[in-house]
Amino acid sequence: MSMLSPALELRHINKSYDGVIALNNASISIAPGSIHGVIGENGAGKSSLMQVAYGLLQPDGGQIFIDGVAVSLKGPSQAIEQGIGMLHQQANWLEQLTVFENVMLAEPSIGLFNRKRAQARVKLELLCREFGFEFSLSTKLSELDYSQRQLVDVLRSLYRGVRVLILDEPLALLSPTQAGYLNKLFITLKLQGISVVVVSHKLAVLHQLCDVISVIREGVVTACVSPKLVPLSELSILMIGRELMLPPSRVEPKIVAKDVLLNIQSLYVKGVSKGRKSTAYVDLTDINLSVFSGEIIALIGQPKAGQEVLLDVMAGLVKFKSGTIEFKQRVINSNSGFSVKQARELGIGYAPSPLINDGMVDMLSMAESVYLGYQQQGFGRWGIISNEAKEAHCRVMMENWRVLPILPAMQSSLFSGGNQQKMVLARELAQQPALLLLNQATQGVDASASDYLVRQLFSLRDRGASVIFYSSDLDEVMSLADRVCIFNQGRMVEVIMAANTNKADLALLIAKEPNDA
Amino acid sequence: MPKALPWWFNALLLPTANIFFAFIACGIVLWLVGIDVTHAIDVMFSGALGSSEGVGYTLFYATNFIFSGLAVSLAWQAGLFNIGAEGQALLGGLGISLVCLYGPQLPMYLMFPLTITIAALFGGLWALIPGWLNAYRGSHIVITTIMFNLIASSLIVYLLVGPLKQPGQMAAVSSTFSQATWLPTMEQLLGNVGIHLASSPLNLSFLLAVVCCILVYSYLWYTRVGFETRVVGLDRAGAKFGGIASKRIIISTMVLSGALAGFIGLNEVQGSSHQLHVEFVSGYGFAGIAIALMGRNHPFGIFVASILFGALYQGGGELAFSDDNVGHDVILLIQALVVLFCGALEWMLKPRLIQLLGLNRWQSPNEAQPS
């Protein structure tokens, strides 16, 4: 393979924004038919480098080579012509159109002619079969979940004849439940001579999947290693200069939990099945759970097994039909009119899933977004606050969580996905909640921020607060949780002490069909 | 590291350039119609800003535009397209007329707060119904507010040909209010402190309009409810997550919006005509949409846009008066072109201007898409 020229090569790329250097003489070379991981902290320049490769950013200096030929990419359309494809962190789909129509959107010349459409359809069907995509071309996008939607994007790139596919933080694709499938897909791509570039914070997943991993630090590509030769623990040293325990090591509680903080009894929640599949959820049936103060509980299960609904119910976002929730000796039943506002007043904090991104208002400045949910406390007694106070408040959070750039006045949607999620976590933790609910909290967040989050959670616990979280990352579950609740089709089928189980057993329990029990 | 464009670019330079191009387009149209353009400009400019009387009229019209512009933009901040300012203004005027005709005799320092309250109450209640229907019954605010415009105007016509009609008169107008209830004009007010202005209908409500600009600005950007209003307008899912009672916000915002529209009655009815007639709003409510658009939904932008529209209104009127070839339609033409260039073609000149000024390096990739 060394005889071949690289499928894509970026040499000595420089890029700075108004004096702040984003890329400093960065070079990367992608071999044909290789799986190439790119790692680095939030804001290290990973996305900038990928955007240069896709023609979205014009570099200040440096050269791009495709198959050994120097090219200049004026925009994404030229990159696509040259066989470069990219999946973005947050893609946009037209929900009410079918898979076929969504793929064809970018091919304006084809829309008018039926014969060409039919040809395109045949070609797409072939591709679907070849790569094992499970959706049909006439399925509406609204009926697909997030990981399938990202596969639609992959299909679109394949249709356009992609030879280097860049995946920028494909959150949904990289969930552990998808890992096996992704592995197969990557191998198929490889056999076709297609290279894949994956940008992610999931070091363990990348270490397993990739042939080569490049490390970016402060705009420089500092290392390019083969995972076969370099152990996982060394990757974090390469990335941030110190070793991170991955997953973070467990800190045992100082006090033994014994006061019941939360007691859920025979809770029943009516599911929503109509409408978009992405917002539908199952019935929750007969949920019983007592949580002590100072306890960390993990809810796990396959996607849509009900664990996320339970978090929404406790946060006051979803109403329940019957049963009771007792929190801090206060009994809440289905007629109490339990709301998000009340939940917050009682000291229940909630960080929703970053995949749905409800925790931020895109068009508000970050300084204002961090008040969402806490506007009552934040704006003070008379409901009036100055801009300076808002920005100072936000600046502190940004410094603690190392969110860059430290510009509180910047619109929140302009921050990277990982940085937005860090700010959501910062906001909830700043309130010192008595009960903190987390939904896939570490998605898209870099390793040092995950590490910081875990240490924050342990110190929150040691002050007597409880945490209930859903994570699809079982390493995270094992290192954090005291007890693990397993969900299956809207029922809580098992509750196990984390000390009495291991990762492999949990994986088996998640995969189990309810009828087997 | 994205860095925003300098603040004056979007806030000052771009609107100025847009207005400049709108005027050039106006000039071309006037020239095609065969009007002496330099003369027309001269008449319009001196008519609107050349004399203290002209300035008075300009600010008088601007007062109406400020109220309706604020009304539209406040509702818009909560994601509501209130095109019912017209009807809400009519109702405000009706409330004021009732107080002035049948209310108690009060000194001005009590009368003015009373009519402010009544105008707000009438306008606000008229907007409350569409607001409630939208929040709790999901009916579309555009449909309901426009229907309420029709109901309001029918109601006023009914009252003015019936119960409120001035006895012994053919016209559908109410009796003239007693002079004690008239809002003092700026000429009178400033005359007291020794500043002499030419006579114009500009009155006390202009000051109220300025105060409203400041209040709306502080409300939206410095208070909790204002914050909640903007969140509801930007992201309903985010509002739900934030525990914001969207329905209440929708209703209260509509009431405030209607109240602002109701203040047009203060300027027109209590400040100028001193009697209620059918068509006193005559399109000011709808013009509020254009004003809000031009002022970028920002109270200070709305103030500037209102002055501009006031000047166009007054200058266009002078032009129509002085030149037989020009009808009152010319005002509409100019307004339409300004709206076209400042609203619909808002971003047309942006890339070119950035290039001209060498600001390229300021632009981040995300800034490239107009928001």
Side-chain angles (χ1 to χ4, degrees):
Chain A
M1 219 186 271
S2 57
M3 295 302 289
L4 291 169
S5 47
L8 170 69
E9 190 181 3
L10 303 177
R11 268 190 220 158
H12 312 302
I13 302 291
N14 286 307
K15 179 75 193 175
S16 60
Y17 301 100
D18 197 33
V20 181
I21 294 167
L23 291 172
N24 184 5
N25 215 3
S27 299
I28 193 169
S29 161
I30 316 290
S34 68
I35 312 292
H36 198 124
V38 176
I39 60 174
E41 291 185 276
N42 291 130
K46 305 178 304 281
S47 285
S48 294
L49 190 61
M50 294 304 118
Q51 284 174 357
V52 167
Y54 190 54
L56 274 171
L57 269 187
Q58 298 304 316
D60 299 336
Q63 184 64 53
I64 304 169
F65 295 87
I66 292 175
D67 290 327
V69 182
V71 291
S72 81
L73 301 174
K74 289 268 179 291
S77 56
Q78 285 187 358
I80 292 164
E81 254 169 53
Q82 300 279 352
I84 313 285
M86 183 160 171
L87 256 69
H88 300 279
Q89 287 188 8
Q90 277 159 343
N92 290 310
W93 299 279
L94 295 179
E95 299 250 338
Q96 290 308 316
L97 296 188
T98 64
V99 171
F100 180 68
E101 287 163 327
N102 267 283
V103 173
M104 283 300 127
L105 273 180
E107 314 284 331
S109 60
I110 275 183
L112 293 171
F113 302 104
N114 273 329
R115 196 169 57 83
K116 279 192 174 174
R117 275 181 87 88
Q119 282 171 356
R121 212 182 173 95
V122 171
K123 189 176 164 195
L124 282 169
E125 263 160 10
L126 268 174
L127 284 171
C128 277
R129 225 172 303 150
E130 198 174 338
F131 290 92
F133 297 138
E134 280 171 356
F135 46 80
S136 108
L137 289 182
S138 38
T139 318
K140 275 192 184 166
L141 254 276
S142 58
E143 288 169 29
L144 300 179
D145 63 26
Y146 288 95
S147 62
Q148 286 171 313
R149 288 172 189 212
Q150 294 206 302
L151 291 178
V152 172
D153 272 0
V154 174
L155 177 64
R156 182 189 292 162
S157 288
L158 289 171
Y159 176 78
R160 291 164 166 182
V162 72
R163 281 174 305 129
V164 179
L165 180 62
I166 302 168
L167 309 176
D168 189 5
E169 198 66 54
L171 298 180
L173 277 183
L174 286 180
S175 70
T177 44
Q178 289 285 332
Y181 175 74
L182 199 64
N183 215 343
K184 264 195 287 179
L185 174 68
F186 280 7
I187 289 168
T188 323
L189 287 168
K190 222 166 129 166
L191 288 175
Q192 304 261 346
I194 298 170
S195 315
V196 183
V197 183
V198 198
V199 180
S200 177
H201 300 295
K202 300 270 173 198
L203 297 193
V205 180
L206 288 191
H207 191 259
Q208 196 194 342
L209 281 175
C210 295
D211 302 321
V212 190
I213 293 181
S214 291
V215 186
I216 302 190
R217 268 179 81 176
E218 288 161 11
V220 189
V221 179
T222 50
C224 189
V225 297
S226 162
K228 291 193 188 73
L229 307 175
V230 176
L232 180 59
S233 56
E234 257 176 55
L235 278 184
S236 70
I237 302 182
L238 288 171
M239 196 169 98
I240 55 171
R242 65 192 163 98
E243 189 170 358
L244 274 180
M245 283 299 290
L246 288 171
S249 60
R250 184 173 167 73
V251 180
E252 291 303 326
K254 289 184 197 129
I255 42 163
V256 183
K258 53 181 187 295
D259 304 330
V260 175
L261 178 76
L262 172 79
N263 188 12
I264 299 175
Q265 283 196 325
S266 42
L267 188 78
Y268 171 69
V269 181
K270 184 97 187 71
V272 171
S273 54
K274 64 174 168 63
R276 296 190 211 161
K277 198 175 177 188
S278 51
T279 55
Y281 52 89
V282 293
D283 286 356
L284 269 190
T285 320
D286 198 25
I287 305 289
N288 295 290
L289 177 66
S290 289
V291 180
F292 300 103
S293 41
E295 195 179 26
I296 300 183
I297 299 223
L299 311 177
I300 60 172
Q302 292 186 339
K304 307 261 168 209
Q307 65 277 30
E308 293 166 280
V309 185
L310 183 59
L311 290 176
D312 280 347
V313 169
M314 287 185 283
L317 277 164
V318 167
K319 303 262 169 283
F320 54 100
K321 262 258 147 65
S322 62
T324 55
I325 297 177
E326 198 181 330
F327 182 72
K328 287 185 179 167
Q329 277 88 46
R330 236 187 89 155
V331 182
I332 301 155
N333 57 39
S334 58
N335 306 323
S336 312
F338 184 53
S339 68
V340 184
K341 200 173 153 193
Q342 275 178 353
R344 292 238 168 74
E345 280 161 7
L346 286 171
I348 300 178
Y350 184 33
S353 163
L355 290 176
I356 298 165
N357 195 28
D358 275 351
M360 284 275 148
V361 178
D362 284 353
M363 303 297 289
L364 286 184
S365 70
M366 189 53 92
E368 292 197 311
S369 278
V370 294
Y371 280 108
L372 186 65
Y374 300 103
Q375 59 271 23
Q376 208 86 24
Q377 296 96 309
F379 280 71
R381 189 165 167 212
W382 300 102
I384 293 170
I385 194 168
S386 72
N387 282 334
E388 289 72 29
K390 273 190 241 174
E391 294 196 0
H393 175 71
C394 182
R395 198 176 291 273
V396 173
M397 288 185 183
M398 290 178 144
E399 278 159 7
N400 285 342
W401 286 81
R402 312 215 300 147
V403 169
L404 291 171
I406 301 190
L407 290 175
M410 195 162 95
Q411 195 178 307
S412 61
S413 64
L414 297 183
F415 287 85
S416 73
N419 279 330
Q420 289 185 37
Q421 173 64 4
K422 284 188 198 173
M423 292 306 287
V424 170
L425 295 169
R427 171 178 71 205
E428 300 304 328
L429 279 160
Q431 297 297 324
Q432 304 269 354
L435 172 64
L436 180 61
L437 309 168
L438 302 172
N439 189 344
Q440 306 263 46
T442 53
Q443 290 272 28
V445 170
D446 60 29
S448 50
S450 306
D451 187 60
Y452 184 69
L453 170 67
V454 169
R455 280 183 284 127
Q456 293 283 309
L457 292 182
F458 283 133
S459 83
L460 192 69
R461 174 199 66 186
D462 290 338
R463 284 193 298 264
S466 308
V467 179
I468 303 180
F469 72 101
Y470 161 50
S471 170
S472 50
D473 183 340
L474 293 179
D475 289 319
E476 206 172 277
V477 169
M478 287 307 297
S479 64
L480 268 171
D482 300 315
R483 265 194 297 163
V484 184
C485 308
I486 294 120
F487 279 75
N488 205 323
Q489 298 190 359
R491 287 172 186 276
M492 200 188 277
V493 287
E494 290 234 36
V495 180
I496 323 173
M497 297 303 288
N500 302 337
T501 186
N502 58 47
K503 198 181 147 191
D505 286 350
L506 288 182
L508 278 176
L509 282 168
I510 290 177
K512 205 155 129 191
E513 291 294 318
N515 304 344
D516 304 352
Chain B
M1 209 66 50
K3 161 114 181 158
L5 283 163
W7 67 271
W8 46 262
F9 186 88
N10 276 342
L12 294 179
L13 184 66
L14 205 52
T16 316
N18 285 333
I19 288 167
F20 179 70
F21 273 80
F23 284 160
I24 288 183
C26 284
I28 293 173
V29 175
L30 290 179
W31 175 71
L32 285 174
V33 182
I35 293 167
D36 179 356
V37 177
T38 47
H39 174 68
I41 292 173
D42 187 41
V43 171
M44 280 189 72
F45 191 80
S46 58
L49 304 167
S51 64
S52 120
E53 186 196 2
V55 172
Y57 271 96
T58 294
L59 293 181
F60 169 71
Y61 294 130
T63 309
N64 292 332
F65 290 129
I66 293 173
F67 287 134
S68 63
L70 286 177
V72 172
S73 102
L74 182 63
W76 186 249
Q77 294 287 355
L80 301 162
F81 195 16
N82 176 17
I83 55 175
E86 199 83 5
Q88 291 141 18
L90 276 175
L91 262 283
L94 172 66
I96 293 163
S97 307
L98 294 177
V99 171
C100 292
L101 288 171
Y102 307 115
Q105 293 286 329
L106 293 170
M108 189 40 70
Y109 64 87
L110 289 176
M111 192 66 193
F112 192 42
L114 177 67
T115 48
I116 288 177
T117 317
I118 293 293
L121 209 62
F122 271 64
L125 287 178
W126 202 246
L128 170 82
I129 307 166
W132 185 88
L133 285 170
N134 177 269
Y136 288 96
R137 291 291 178 269
S139 58
H140 203 291
I141 204 93
V142 169
I143 309 286
T144 43
T145 49
I146 207 159
M147 289 303 168
F148 267 68
N149 285 342
L150 299 176
I151 300 173
S153 87
S154 309
L155 177 70
I156 299 289
V157 169
Y158 164 75
L159 290 174
L160 284 180
V161 297
L164 287 181
K165 187 170 181 296
Q166 188 177 359
Q169 269 273 354
M170 290 295 287
V173 290
S174 74
S175 316
T176 307
F177 312 149
S178 75
Q179 202 149 3
T181 63
W182 297 5
L183 284 185
T185 62
M186 283 306 202
E187 181 200 358
Q188 291 163 347
L189 283 175
L190 293 180
N192 291 339
V193 287
I195 302 168
H196 295 288
L197 293 181
S199 161
S200 75
L202 182 67
N203 57 65
L204 193 54
S205 50
F206 176 70
L207 295 183
L208 178 70
V210 175
V211 171
C212 282
C213 280
I214 297 165
L215 285 180
V216 169
Y217 172 76
S218 331
Y219 173 79
L220 281 172
W221 279 280
Y222 293 93
T223 71
R224 192 193 77 233
V225 194
F227 171 80
E228 295 185 337
T229 307
R230 283 181 296 130
V231 172
V232 168
L234 292 171
D235 183 352
R236 287 285 166 93
K240 190 181 176 198
F241 171 80
I244 296 167
S246 300
K247 291 178 174 155
R248 252 187 266 164
I249 293 283
I250 286 173
I251 293 175
S252 61
T253 309
M254 275 308 282
V255 169
L256 289 177
S257 168
L260 284 165
F263 291 158
I264 291 176
L266 291 172
N267 191 39
E268 278 288 333
V269 178
Q270 198 186 3
S272 164
S273 65
H274 311 304
Q275 58 180 187
L276 186 64
H277 57 96
V278 180
E279 291 209 314
F280 78 87
V281 186
S282 65
Y284 291 120
F286 290 125
I289 299 166
I291 305 280
L293 196 69
M294 271 191 62
R296 292 161 177 275
N297 275 321
H298 192 289
F300 300 151
I302 285 167
F303 181 79
V304 176
S306 299
I307 304 281
L308 176 73
F309 263 56
L312 290 175
Y313 214 79
Q314 165 63 10
E318 287 288 318
L319 181 62
F321 186 71
S322 77
D323 193 330
D324 289 343
N325 291 330
V326 185
H328 255 280
D329 293 342
V330 77
I331 304 175
L332 283 179
L333 170 79
I334 299 171
Q335 282 183 4
L337 283 168
V338 169
V339 171
L340 180 71
F341 276 84
C342 297
L345 305 176
E346 194 180 355
W347 306 102
M348 183 177 69
L349 296 168
K350 189 174 177 180
R352 190 45 55 119
L353 278 175
I354 288 175
Q355 224 173 28
L356 270 176
L357 296 174
L359 292 172
N360 300 28
R361 64 202 178 88
W362 261 292
Q363 223 191 2
S364 72
N366 296 308
E367 268 267 328
Q369 307 137 8
S371 46

